[in-house]
């Protein structure tokens, strides 16, 4: 199995259709924690829904578009990161992330997103990586900042959730600005 060691006991690898059962069990642990902050279509509530998400990303990845990766800590799927969008033609991508509560506060997502930025900028020659989040999602904004992204603007009331509309932040980093870990 191809996977990348992020640190001792923590691995990043493609999250694929065959993980549907494991992904659904993880979502059971993560659902209420992530629901306010991620796209509604991502928060499915059974194995069929989880499989549909994995299949959608798998098909998109096969077309060199969006891709999904899981973070396994001590063999347990605890979260993940994704290219929400990936376009070689435009030279840009958007990165997203989530964790179940037990995995917060350990730097796992910052490390995993660093791997995605490395691949996008170094292996694929992209120029720009974006990060979109609810403006009141302080933990998400903090990840964008740790990745060296700049806040480029706020789309006012662009995020509807449970009858209210929230502002949405747009963060981004350009390839020449990105400080490669250890480099
Ligand atoms: C957004 C989210 C993934 C951020 O998780 P996180 O654990 O705060 O982010 P990281 O994995 O980068 O970890 C950073 C934290 O680990 C700590 N940390 C520990 N070791 C670290 C290390 N080696 N490197 C970096 N940070 C480390 C940092 O101090 C920070 O903790 P603090 O904020 O309490 O100071 C998480 O809050 C989440 O899943 N939220 C719900 C879903 C969501 O909002 N997704 C994003 C949608 S835009």
């Amino acid at each position: 199995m191809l996977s990348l060691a992020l640190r001792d006991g923590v691995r990043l690898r493609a999250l694929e259709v065959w993980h549907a059962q494991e992904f659904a069990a993880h979502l059971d642990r993560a659902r209420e924690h992530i629901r306010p902050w991620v796209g509604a279509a991502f928060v499915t509530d059974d194995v069929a829904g989880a499989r549909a998400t994995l299949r959608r990303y798998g098909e998109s990845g096969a077309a060199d578009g969006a891709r999904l990766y899981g973070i396994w800590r001590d063999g347990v799927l605890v979260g993940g990161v994704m290219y929400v969008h990936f376009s070689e033609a435009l030279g840009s991508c958007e990165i997203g992330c989530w964790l179940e509560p037990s995995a917060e506060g350990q730097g796992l997502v910052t490390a995993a997103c660093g791997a995605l930025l490395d691949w996008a900028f170094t292996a694929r020659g992209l120029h720009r990586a974006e990060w979109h989040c609810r403006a009141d999602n302080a933990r998400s904004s903090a990840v964008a900042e740790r990745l060296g992204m700049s806040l480029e603007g706020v789309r006012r009331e662009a995020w509807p959730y449970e009858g209210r509309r929230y502002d949405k932040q747009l963060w981004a980093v350009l390839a020449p600005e990105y400080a490669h870990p250890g480099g």
Side-chain angles (χ1 to χ4, degrees):
M1 172 52 51
L2 295 173
S3 72
L4 181 70
L6 294 178
R7 68 170 73 137
D8 273 1
V10 181
R11 302 196 78 85
L12 183 69
R13 70 166 81 108
L15 190 49
E16 298 175 335
V17 168
W18 65 278
H19 294 118
Q21 199 95 37
E22 198 177 359
F23 183 44
H26 158 68
L27 283 176
D28 285 344
R29 298 188 293 274
R31 188 174 297 106
E32 296 316 313
H33 178 61
I34 69 174
R35 193 193 294 280
W37 314 110
V38 304
F42 193 75
V43 193
T44 54
D45 54 14
D46 57 15
V47 176
R51 183 178 290 108
T53 300
L54 299 178
R55 182 174 177 147
R56 197 168 66 244
Y57 273 96
E59 288 172 351
S60 177
D64 202 23
R67 289 176 170 86
L68 193 60
Y69 301 89
I71 300 170
W72 276 263
R73 185 188 55 191
D74 299 329
V76 178
L77 178 63
V78 293
V81 292
M82 71 273 261
Y83 297 106
V84 181
H85 299 291
F86 189 97
S87 169
E88 187 172 49
L90 296 175
S92 72
C93 64
E94 178 193 336
I95 289 175
C97 68
W98 80 95
L99 287 173
E100 60 183 62
S102 72
E104 268 189 341
Q106 298 162 38
L108 300 185
V109 148
T110 296
C113 288
L116 263 55
L117 290 176
D118 272 346
W119 190 72
F121 289 148
T122 307
R124 299 300 307 276
L126 264 52
H127 185 66
R128 176 181 167 85
E130 296 187 354
W131 184 273
H132 299 191
C133 64
R134 254 175 67 170
D136 57 341
N137 191 348
R139 291 196 84 96
S140 181
S141 309
V143 176
E145 215 166 349
R146 272 194 293 274
L147 291 170
M149 294 188 165
S150 303
L151 179 60
E152 294 190 333
V154 174
R155 296 177 61 201
R156 294 174 306 149
E157 302 190 0
W159 192 302
Y161 178 70
E162 291 192 339
R164 278 189 60 187
R165 303 190 66 87
Y166 296 84
D167 290 350
K168 183 174 180 175
Q169 292 179 343
L170 166 59
W171 296 75
V173 61
L174 306 181
E177 297 166 350
Y178 181 61
H180 296 266

